Amino acid sequence: MTAAPHLPPPFLHLIRQEFERSLCLTPRPAAVVTANPKKDEEGNEMLIDITERAATRLQEIMAKDSNSSLALRVTVESGGCHGFQYLMSLTNMSAVSPEDDTVFEASNGSGAKVVMDEPSLELLKGSKVDFTMELIGSQFKIVGNPAATSSCGCGTSFDIKP
C-alpha cells in the first residue's frame, strides 16, 4: 500500500474547511450584516453577498495599508448611460454613519466589509460585490443585481424595473 502524499498544513486546513462546508445542508451566506440591518417594504431583510475574490482583495488592501478599519463603500447615483451608476470607494469605518449605513462583513473570516446607505441598498439588495481582473484593468463590480433590467458594457451603470 502506498502512503498518502504529504500535504502542507495550509492545504489540509483548506481541505478540512471544504469538507465541513460540504456537510452543511444549508448554504452559508457570503456576507452577514454587522451593523444597522434594514428591511424592505415586505419586511424582508435586505442583504448582499461578497464574493471570495472581493473579500480577498479587500483583505489585501487592508494588509497593504496596515489598516483593518478600511471598508468598500458602494453607492448608487442617478446618471451613467443607463440611468443609475455604481460608485465605489474605500472608506474608514470611523466615517460610517450608525443611523444611515448598513455594514456587511464577508463570512469567510477575512474581515472584509462593504458599507451601503439605505437608498443604495434598496437598489442593490440580492446583488453580489465581486472583484474582477480583465485586460482593461481590475475593479470591484456589482454582479447579479435583481433590480437591474439592463446595464452598460462596462457594468458601471444600470437601469431598473419600473
PDB file of all heavy atoms in Angstrom, residues 53 57 60 130-141:
ATOM      1  N   ARG A  53     -13.482  36.433  -4.108  1.00  0.00           N
ATOM      2  CA  ARG A  53     -12.473  37.308  -4.758  1.00  0.00           C
ATOM      3  C   ARG A  53     -12.504  38.714  -4.190  1.00  0.00           C
ATOM      4  O   ARG A  53     -11.457  39.313  -3.941  1.00  0.00           O
ATOM      5  CB  ARG A  53     -12.712  37.362  -6.272  1.00  0.00           C
ATOM      6  CG  ARG A  53     -12.289  36.144  -7.012  1.00  0.00           C
ATOM      7  CD  ARG A  53     -12.402  36.355  -8.493  1.00  0.00           C
ATOM      8  NE  ARG A  53     -13.746  36.763  -8.870  1.00  0.00           N
ATOM      9  CZ  ARG A  53     -14.465  36.194  -9.819  1.00  0.00           C
ATOM     10  NH1 ARG A  53     -13.965  35.209 -10.515  1.00  0.00           N
ATOM     11  NH2 ARG A  53     -15.667  36.620 -10.104  1.00  0.00           N
ATOM     12  N   ARG A  57      -9.497  40.493  -2.059  1.00  0.00           N
ATOM     13  CA  ARG A  57      -8.882  41.754  -2.497  1.00  0.00           C
ATOM     14  C   ARG A  57      -8.984  42.820  -1.414  1.00  0.00           C
ATOM     15  O   ARG A  57      -8.023  43.557  -1.163  1.00  0.00           O
ATOM     16  CB  ARG A  57      -9.522  42.246  -3.800  1.00  0.00           C
ATOM     17  CG  ARG A  57      -8.893  43.502  -4.337  1.00  0.00           C
ATOM     18  CD  ARG A  57      -7.429  43.301  -4.687  1.00  0.00           C
ATOM     19  NE  ARG A  57      -6.840  44.548  -5.132  1.00  0.00           N
ATOM     20  CZ  ARG A  57      -5.653  45.001  -4.741  1.00  0.00           C
ATOM     21  NH1 ARG A  57      -4.899  44.287  -3.933  1.00  0.00           N
ATOM     22  NH2 ARG A  57      -5.204  46.152  -5.179  1.00  0.00           N
ATOM     23  N   GLU A  60      -6.394  42.111   1.142  1.00  0.00           N
ATOM     24  CA  GLU A  60      -5.066  42.518   0.666  1.00  0.00           C
ATOM     25  C   GLU A  60      -4.862  44.017   0.806  1.00  0.00           C
ATOM     26  O   GLU A  60      -3.785  44.471   1.215  1.00  0.00           O
ATOM     27  CB  GLU A  60      -4.892  42.113  -0.805  1.00  0.00           C
ATOM     28  CG  GLU A  60      -4.789  40.631  -1.035  1.00  0.00           C
ATOM     29  CD  GLU A  60      -4.902  40.233  -2.503  1.00  0.00           C
ATOM     30  OE1 GLU A  60      -5.148  41.103  -3.372  1.00  0.00           O
ATOM     31  OE2 GLU A  60      -4.753  39.028  -2.784  1.00  0.00           O
ATOM     32  N   ASP A 130     -18.251  41.802  -6.325  1.00  0.00           N
ATOM     33  CA  ASP A 130     -17.212  40.928  -6.847  1.00  0.00           C
ATOM     34  C   ASP A 130     -15.983  41.767  -7.174  1.00  0.00           C
ATOM     35  O   ASP A 130     -16.038  42.995  -7.203  1.00  0.00           O
ATOM     36  CB  ASP A 130     -17.725  40.217  -8.106  1.00  0.00           C
ATOM     37  CG  ASP A 130     -16.867  39.024  -8.514  1.00  0.00           C
ATOM     38  OD1 ASP A 130     -16.018  38.583  -7.715  1.00  0.00           O
ATOM     39  OD2 ASP A 130     -17.054  38.528  -9.637  1.00  0.00           O
ATOM     40  N   PHE A 131     -14.880  41.098  -7.407  1.00  0.00           N
ATOM     41  CA  PHE A 131     -13.655  41.755  -7.868  1.00  0.00           C
ATOM     42  C   PHE A 131     -13.231  41.041  -9.137  1.00  0.00           C
ATOM     43  O   PHE A 131     -13.097  39.818  -9.153  1.00  0.00           O
ATOM     44  CB  PHE A 131     -12.543  41.671  -6.818  1.00  0.00           C
ATOM     45  CG  PHE A 131     -11.288  42.379  -7.230  1.00  0.00           C
ATOM     46  CD1 PHE A 131     -11.223  43.764  -7.192  1.00  0.00           C
ATOM     47  CD2 PHE A 131     -10.195  41.674  -7.685  1.00  0.00           C
ATOM     48  CE1 PHE A 131     -10.077  44.428  -7.583  1.00  0.00           C
ATOM     49  CE2 PHE A 131      -9.039  42.335  -8.079  1.00  0.00           C
ATOM     50  CZ  PHE A 131      -8.989  43.720  -8.024  1.00  0.00           C
ATOM     51  N   THR A 132     -13.062  41.810 -10.213  1.00  0.00           N
ATOM     52  CA  THR A 132     -12.701  41.215 -11.495  1.00  0.00           C
ATOM     53  C   THR A 132     -11.361  41.755 -11.966  1.00  0.00           C
ATOM     54  O   THR A 132     -11.013  42.911 -11.717  1.00  0.00           O
ATOM     55  CB  THR A 132     -13.763  41.495 -12.571  1.00  0.00           C
ATOM     56  OG1 THR A 132     -13.888  42.917 -12.751  1.00  0.00           O
ATOM     57  CG2 THR A 132     -15.119  40.940 -12.165  1.00  0.00           C
ATOM     58  N   MET A 133     -10.635  40.893 -12.652  1.00  0.00           N
ATOM     59  CA  MET A 133      -9.373  41.288 -13.278  1.00  0.00           C
ATOM     60  C   MET A 133      -9.501  40.967 -14.763  1.00  0.00           C
ATOM     61  O   MET A 133      -9.627  39.801 -15.135  1.00  0.00           O
ATOM     62  CB  MET A 133      -8.204  40.551 -12.636  1.00  0.00           C
ATOM     63  CG  MET A 133      -8.025  40.931 -11.204  1.00  0.00           C
ATOM     64  SD  MET A 133      -6.630  40.240 -10.275  1.00  0.00           S
ATOM     65  CE  MET A 133      -5.955  38.974 -11.236  1.00  0.00           C
ATOM     66  N   GLU A 134      -9.515  42.025 -15.577  1.00  0.00           N
ATOM     67  CA  GLU A 134      -9.672  41.876 -17.011  1.00  0.00           C
ATOM     68  C   GLU A 134      -8.535  42.597 -17.709  1.00  0.00           C
ATOM     69  O   GLU A 134      -7.730  43.284 -17.077  1.00  0.00           O
ATOM     70  CB  GLU A 134     -11.031  42.447 -17.432  1.00  0.00           C
ATOM     71  CG  GLU A 134     -12.201  41.750 -16.743  1.00  0.00           C
ATOM     72  CD  GLU A 134     -13.515  42.506 -16.874  1.00  0.00           C
ATOM     73  OE1 GLU A 134     -13.512  43.644 -17.386  1.00  0.00           O
ATOM     74  OE2 GLU A 134     -14.540  41.963 -16.448  1.00  0.00           O
ATOM     75  N   LEU A 135      -8.488  42.483 -19.017  1.00  0.00           N
ATOM     76  CA  LEU A 135      -7.436  43.145 -19.786  1.00  0.00           C
ATOM     77  C   LEU A 135      -7.454  44.657 -19.599  1.00  0.00           C
ATOM     78  O   LEU A 135      -6.405  45.287 -19.604  1.00  0.00           O
ATOM     79  CB  LEU A 135      -7.571  42.800 -21.269  1.00  0.00           C
ATOM     80  CG  LEU A 135      -7.244  41.360 -21.638  1.00  0.00           C
ATOM     81  CD1 LEU A 135      -7.520  41.128 -23.121  1.00  0.00           C
ATOM     82  CD2 LEU A 135      -5.793  41.036 -21.324  1.00  0.00           C
ATOM     83  N   ILE A 136      -8.642  45.228 -19.442  1.00  0.00           N
ATOM     84  CA  ILE A 136      -8.735  46.681 -19.302  1.00  0.00           C
ATOM     85  C   ILE A 136      -8.459  47.157 -17.883  1.00  0.00           C
ATOM     86  O   ILE A 136      -8.405  48.344 -17.619  1.00  0.00           O
ATOM     87  CB  ILE A 136     -10.115  47.207 -19.768  1.00  0.00           C
ATOM     88  CG1 ILE A 136     -11.228  46.560 -18.952  1.00  0.00           C
ATOM     89  CG2 ILE A 136     -10.309  46.994 -21.250  1.00  0.00           C
ATOM     90  CD1 ILE A 136     -12.605  47.156 -19.203  1.00  0.00           C
ATOM     91  N   GLY A 137      -8.289  46.246 -16.960  1.00  0.00           N
ATOM     92  CA  GLY A 137      -7.969  46.610 -15.582  1.00  0.00           C
ATOM     93  C   GLY A 137      -8.737  45.769 -14.586  1.00  0.00           C
ATOM     94  O   GLY A 137      -9.532  44.913 -14.950  1.00  0.00           O
ATOM     95  N   SER A 138      -8.494  46.019 -13.335  1.00  0.00           N
ATOM     96  CA  SER A 138      -9.179  45.286 -12.272  1.00  0.00           C
ATOM     97  C   SER A 138     -10.057  46.267 -11.510  1.00  0.00           C
ATOM     98  O   SER A 138      -9.732  47.446 -11.388  1.00  0.00           O
ATOM     99  CB  SER A 138      -8.176  44.612 -11.348  1.00  0.00           C
ATOM    100  OG  SER A 138      -7.303  45.563 -10.802  1.00  0.00           O
ATOM    101  N   GLN A 139     -11.190  45.733 -11.000  1.00  0.00           N
ATOM    102  CA  GLN A 139     -12.122  46.602 -10.301  1.00  0.00           C
ATOM    103  C   GLN A 139     -13.096  45.797  -9.460  1.00  0.00           C
ATOM    104  O   GLN A 139     -13.340  44.621  -9.719  1.00  0.00           O
ATOM    105  CB  GLN A 139     -12.916  47.443 -11.294  1.00  0.00           C
ATOM    106  CG  GLN A 139     -13.817  46.618 -12.202  1.00  0.00           C
ATOM    107  CD  GLN A 139     -14.587  47.469 -13.191  1.00  0.00           C
ATOM    108  OE1 GLN A 139     -14.657  48.678 -13.056  1.00  0.00           O
ATOM    109  NE2 GLN A 139     -15.165  46.848 -14.194  1.00  0.00           N
ATOM    110  N   PHE A 140     -13.647  46.461  -8.451  1.00  0.00           N
ATOM    111  CA  PHE A 140     -14.780  45.899  -7.740  1.00  0.00           C
ATOM    112  C   PHE A 140     -15.990  46.131  -8.631  1.00  0.00           C
ATOM    113  O   PHE A 140     -16.072  47.137  -9.337  1.00  0.00           O
ATOM    114  CB  PHE A 140     -14.967  46.574  -6.381  1.00  0.00           C
ATOM    115  CG  PHE A 140     -13.912  46.199  -5.392  1.00  0.00           C
ATOM    116  CD1 PHE A 140     -12.846  47.049  -5.141  1.00  0.00           C
ATOM    117  CD2 PHE A 140     -13.975  44.982  -4.723  1.00  0.00           C
ATOM    118  CE1 PHE A 140     -11.861  46.697  -4.231  1.00  0.00           C
ATOM    119  CE2 PHE A 140     -12.998  44.621  -3.815  1.00  0.00           C
ATOM    120  CZ  PHE A 140     -11.939  45.478  -3.573  1.00  0.00           C
ATOM    121  N   LYS A 141     -16.923  45.196  -8.589  1.00  0.00           N
ATOM    122  CA  LYS A 141     -18.047  45.250  -9.503  1.00  0.00           C
ATOM    123  C   LYS A 141     -19.287  44.668  -8.829  1.00  0.00           C
ATOM    124  O   LYS A 141     -19.183  43.751  -8.020  1.00  0.00           O
ATOM    125  CB  LYS A 141     -17.683  44.406 -10.726  1.00  0.00           C
ATOM    126  CG  LYS A 141     -18.447  44.647 -11.957  1.00  0.00           C
ATOM    127  CD  LYS A 141     -17.804  43.844 -13.096  1.00  0.00           C
ATOM    128  CE  LYS A 141     -18.267  44.372 -14.418  1.00  0.00           C
ATOM    129  NZ  LYS A 141     -17.619  43.714 -15.535  1.00  0.00           N
TER     130      LYS A 141
END
